[in-house]
Amino acid sequence: TQTLSTAPQAILPTLTATANGLTASRVNSAASTNATSLKTSAGNIGDIDVYNNAAYAVFLKLYNKASSPTVGTDTPVWTIPIAAGSGFSRAFPRGRSFATGIAYAITKLQADSDTTAVAAGDLTGSIGWI
């Protein structure tokens, strides 16, 4: 016979902060590669909700870095492709961890070395972080 365990299962903690929860940073692309530092120390992304208004794909590049990235030189840890006229929306209840800092850039091409600027207003939305 098989016996079912009644021992409690380990439950992973949810993303929390000591005060005020996530910081929502607005994303509204300028006519550049939009090199931006969200947090200059270790942190977590709690959610990303962005929409591509452009007639071409754009790439949201996330960096584990404590300052604004040097686009085309620094290597992103995550590149999110966002097709023309579509969006990307995802919550990370336990956080997506960045050990050094949280930074991003927005480019027209996927390559890590790409420095092709997007147009103003191509990508809009928010990134929630802690």
Side-chain angles (χ1 to χ4, degrees):
T1 64
Q2 186 176 14
T3 307
L4 296 176
S5 172
T6 57
Q9 298 295 314
I11 298 174
L12 295 173
T14 56
L15 184 62
T16 60
T18 55
N20 302 327
L22 294 174
T23 297
S25 290
R26 183 171 184 231
V27 175
N28 189 16
S29 65
S32 72
T33 58
N34 297 276
T36 303
S37 175
L38 292 178
K39 187 168 187 203
T40 59
S41 60
N44 288 283
I45 290 180
D47 59 54
I48 299 174
D49 187 18
V50 292
Y51 183 79
N52 178 3
N53 292 305
Y56 46 82
V58 299
F59 297 86
L60 176 62
K61 298 177 180 181
L62 298 163
Y63 300 82
N64 185 23
K65 187 167 181 174
S67 61
S68 295
T70 302
V71 181
T73 301
D74 290 333
T75 302
V77 295
W78 186 20
T79 299
I80 303 169
I82 305 159
S86 70
F88 177 89
S89 184
R90 185 167 302 160
F92 306 96
R94 293 177 181 93
R96 180 125 184 180
S97 180
F98 288 73
T100 304
I102 304 171
Y104 73 86
I106 306 165
T107 64
K108 280 189 179 179
L109 301 175
Q110 184 171 4
D112 291 349
S113 60
D114 181 51
T115 59
T116 309
V118 296
D122 276 358
L123 191 69
T124 61
S126 68
I127 299 174
W129 55 272
I130 191 167

